[in-house]
């Protein structure tokens, strides 16, 4: 006679909970007038890396495949070389630490802590929730005239990031919208699809009120790519819903103001009649290109753009940008970067650094797209594929108009981690099911065998 006993182990908490803490801390307000240095979320991201390292030491397992180690470690070579050519040892160490945090350490930690598609979706939904919180604050700022200053009126939606980081809320809301679109069109049925679609439509409002042309362009390109990758039928349905929502927002609620119309029109006027911000950007782009010509292979060193800017910029460059509103007094913010990630890397790290960093991004994109085609054959995990591909496409497009900096940069690192998981590990696990199911089944078999 065999006595059958049921054996259930208590569910272990997900290892991605520390990553959720990083996302949650970005909901806290930034001190008015802050210069965008390291914040609580950056400190917790360091703890996430430490937590991941401890787990790997305890498990005594090989953490990364050769492909993952090569792709994630590729930027280190260019960064180390550029740190040696920095204007000062302190600037080299600071710049090296920031780049490693955003593009190597935090993405690798997130990739290793995600156990399967359920953890991936949990992080994606947390980004949507953060975007909803920041977007709600931004809409309130626009409606009540308590946002950042724009053309003499405090109406620019910036969320909790303040007037000194006007791109912070736009970045967070864009990431949330991209995640929501991927979660919506990647699933065929379910309440989650309807909820994600509603979130995507709602997040379009604060994104519009951010007055960020670069975020608008990157989001429009990314959503179009996501819909095309999802299939023609879903793309047509989603496009029709977006047009209907736009008609309701503009016609029914009067979202389209004169300032917004002028901002939209200025996208096509950047060469004919550019405003001062566009002129400054073109001037800094030219200065960054000129720096690269002086040192084409190694660049001027990490954190070197501000030191060499005045020696290469023309007289068309203004002394800085005006910031005010959102709880902060008037401040003249210096222009310390070219607002183009590719040119920033090119002038500070040279051709070697750009090839290493952009080469890793290109490898992630190729692996992510390859995984998406494999997912179509497997018939599951399309939502994760669309979220990962969307996040990477958005970042690559936005890098043509912006660079890293500010409290929201740590969210960029988390998103790179989601992309890395899908591109380098998630596609294999999708083909055989969620990885979390395998250890659970193995533990159950082992437990029953021990009791017999």
């Amino acid at each position: 006679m065999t006595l059958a006993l049921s054996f259930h182990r208590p569910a272990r908490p997900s290892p991605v909970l520390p990553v959720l803490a990083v996302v949650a801390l970005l909901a806290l307000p930034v001190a008015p007038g802050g210069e965008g240095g390291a914040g609580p979320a950056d400190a917790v991201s360091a703890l996430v890396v430490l937590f991941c390292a401890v787990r790997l030491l305890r498990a005594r397992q090989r953490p990364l495949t050769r492909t993952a180690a090569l792709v994630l470690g590729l930027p280190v070579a260019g960064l180390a070389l550029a740190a040696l050519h920095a204007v000062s040892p302190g600037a080299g160490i600071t710049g090296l630490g920031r780049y490693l945090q955003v593009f190597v350490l935090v993405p690798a930690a997130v990739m290793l802590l995600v156990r399967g598609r359920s953890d991936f979706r949990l992080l994606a939904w947390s980004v949507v929730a953060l975007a909803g919180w920041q977007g709600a604050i931004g809409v309130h700022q626009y409606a009540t005239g308590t946002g950042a200053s724009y053309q003499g009126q405090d109406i620019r939606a910036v969320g909790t990031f303040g007037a000194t980081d006007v791109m912070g809320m736009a970045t967070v809301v864009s990431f949330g919208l991209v995640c929501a679109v991927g979660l919506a069109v990647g699933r065929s049925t379910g309440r989650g699809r309807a909820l994600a679609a509603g979130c995507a439509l709602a997040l379009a409002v604060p994104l519009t009120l951010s007055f960020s042309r670069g975020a608008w362009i990157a989001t429009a390109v990314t959503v179009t790519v996501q819909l095309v990758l999802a299939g023609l039928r879903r793309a047509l349905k989603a496009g029709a819903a977006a047009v209907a929502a736009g008609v309701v927002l503009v016609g029914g609620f009067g979202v389209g103001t004169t300032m917004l119309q002028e901002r939209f029109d200025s996208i096509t006027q950047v060469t004919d009649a550019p405003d001062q911000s566009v002129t400054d950007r073109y001037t800094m782009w030219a200065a960054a290109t000129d720096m690269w010509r002086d040192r084409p292979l190694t660049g001027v060193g990490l954190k070197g753009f501000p030191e060499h800017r005045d020696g290469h910029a023309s007289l068309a460059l203004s002394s800085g940008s005006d910031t005010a509103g959102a709880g902060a007094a008037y401040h003249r913010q210096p222009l310390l970067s070219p607002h183009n990630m590719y040119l920033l890397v090119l002038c500070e790290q040279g051709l070697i650094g750009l090839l290493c960093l952009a080469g890793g991004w290109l490898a992630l994109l190729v692996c992510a797209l390859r995984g998406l085609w494999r997912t179509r054959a497997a018939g599951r995990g399309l939502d994760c594929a669309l979220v990962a591909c969307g996040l990477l496409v958005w970042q690559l497009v936005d890098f043509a108009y912006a660079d890293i900096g500010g409290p929201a940069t740590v969210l960029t690192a988390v998103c790179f981690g989601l992309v890395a998981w899908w591109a380098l590990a998630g596609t294999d696990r999708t083909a055989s099911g969620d990885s979390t199911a395998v250890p659970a089944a193995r533990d159950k078999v082992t437990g029953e065998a021990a009791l017999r």
Side-chain angles (χ1 to χ4, degrees), residues 48 153 188 373 424 426 434 448 451:
V48 169
Q153 300 184 40
S188 56
W373 305 131
L424 303 174
D434 279 329
E448 289 179 354
L451 290 173

Side-chain angles (χ1 to χ4, degrees), residues 21-426:
V22 174
V23 178
L25 286 173
L26 289 173
L28 298 178
V30 178
E35 296 298 329
D42 293 284
V44 175
S45 71
L47 296 178
V48 169
V49 175
L50 180 61
F51 171 72
C52 180
V54 172
R55 290 186 79 248
L56 293 177
L57 291 176
R58 291 183 60 185
R60 296 181 180 179
Q61 295 178 352
R62 182 179 177 179
L64 297 172
T65 63
R66 292 181 179 178
T67 301
L70 176 62
V71 173
L72 292 177
L74 189 60
V76 177
L79 290 172
L81 184 61
L84 295 176
H85 293 84
V87 293
S88 67
I93 294 175
T94 303
L96 179 63
R98 187 60 160 169
Y99 274 98
L100 290 179
Q101 175 204 14
V102 178
F103 298 117
V104 180
L105 297 179
V106 174
V110 173
M111 172 187 169
L112 293 171
L113 293 176
V114 173
R115 299 174 301 178
R117 297 195 304 271
S118 59
D119 285 347
F120 184 100
R121 295 187 183 109
L122 179 62
L123 287 178
W125 275 111
S126 71
V127 175
V128 175
L130 174 64
W133 167 255
Q134 293 288 352
I137 296 176
V139 172
H140 179 266
Q141 291 171 335
Y142 176 85
T144 59
T146 56
S149 177
Y150 178 77
Q151 294 187 1
Q153 300 184 40
D154 295 341
I155 59 172
R156 187 168 191 174
V158 292
T160 64
F161 295 100
T164 57
D165 186 16
V166 294
M167 282 296 299
M169 190 212 73
T171 300
V172 171
V173 171
S174 298
F175 281 149
L177 195 152
V178 169
C179 289
V181 170
L183 293 169
V185 301
R187 309 189 75 171
S188 56
T189 58
R191 290 177 296 180
R193 180 186 181 186
L195 178 61
C199 291
L201 293 176
L203 289 174
V205 177
L207 178 61
T208 302
L209 300 180
S210 69
F211 291 90
S212 174
R213 291 170 294 197
W216 292 347
I217 295 172
T219 304
V221 172
T222 301
V223 171
T224 302
V225 171
Q226 286 180 301
L227 295 179
V228 171
L229 293 177
L232 181 60
R233 181 180 300 179
R234 294 182 182 182
L236 292 176
K237 290 181 179 179
V243 171
V247 172
V248 171
L249 289 174
V250 176
F253 297 101
V255 173
T257 64
T258 303
M259 287 186 178
L260 282 173
Q261 186 62 45
E262 292 175 354
R263 192 67 167 174
F264 277 114
D265 293 340
S266 68
I267 295 177
T268 60
Q269 298 172 353
V270 293
T271 56
D272 297 334
D275 54 31
Q276 185 58 48
S277 64
V278 175
T279 301
D280 288 340
R281 183 163 301 185
Y282 284 165
T283 304
M284 291 188 294
W285 288 3
T289 305
D290 198 39
M291 293 180 200
W292 168 68
R293 290 195 183 99
D294 289 345
R295 300 180 184 178
L297 291 181
T298 61
V300 297
L302 295 181
K303 298 286 185 178
F305 179 84
E307 299 293 332
H308 296 80
R309 181 198 62 190
D310 294 339
H312 295 80
S314 68
L315 296 177
L317 182 66
S318 64
S319 59
S321 59
D322 298 332
T323 61
Y330 173 82
H331 176 66
R332 189 71 173 171
Q333 190 171 9
L335 304 174
L336 302 179
S337 70
H339 296 291
N340 182 304
M341 190 65 196
Y342 304 106
L343 291 179
L344 177 63
V345 174
L346 187 65
C347 72
E348 291 189 347
Q349 303 179 36
L351 192 59
I352 295 176
L354 181 62
L355 290 177
C356 291
L357 198 58
W361 299 338
L362 181 60
L364 284 177
L365 182 60
V366 171
C367 293
L369 291 174
R370 185 180 62 179
L372 186 143
W373 305 131
R374 294 174 58 182
T375 298
R376 288 183 179 275
R380 53 188 175 184
L382 181 60
D383 55 340
C384 298
L386 292 176
V387 169
C389 293
L391 290 174
L392 184 55
V393 169
W394 187 93
Q395 195 63 78
L396 294 181
V397 175
D398 184 70
F399 274 163
Y401 307 95
D403 46 52
I404 58 174
T409 301
V410 70
L411 186 62
T412 299
V414 172
C415 291
F416 267 111
L418 290 175
V419 174
W421 178 83
W422 172 256
L424 303 174

Side-chain angles (χ1 to χ4, degrees), residues 2-5 7 441-452:
T2 303
L3 180 62
L5 298 176
F7 183 78
R442 191 174 297 165
D443 290 342
K444 183 176 180 181
V445 173
T446 304
E448 289 179 354
L451 290 173
R452 288 177 181 173

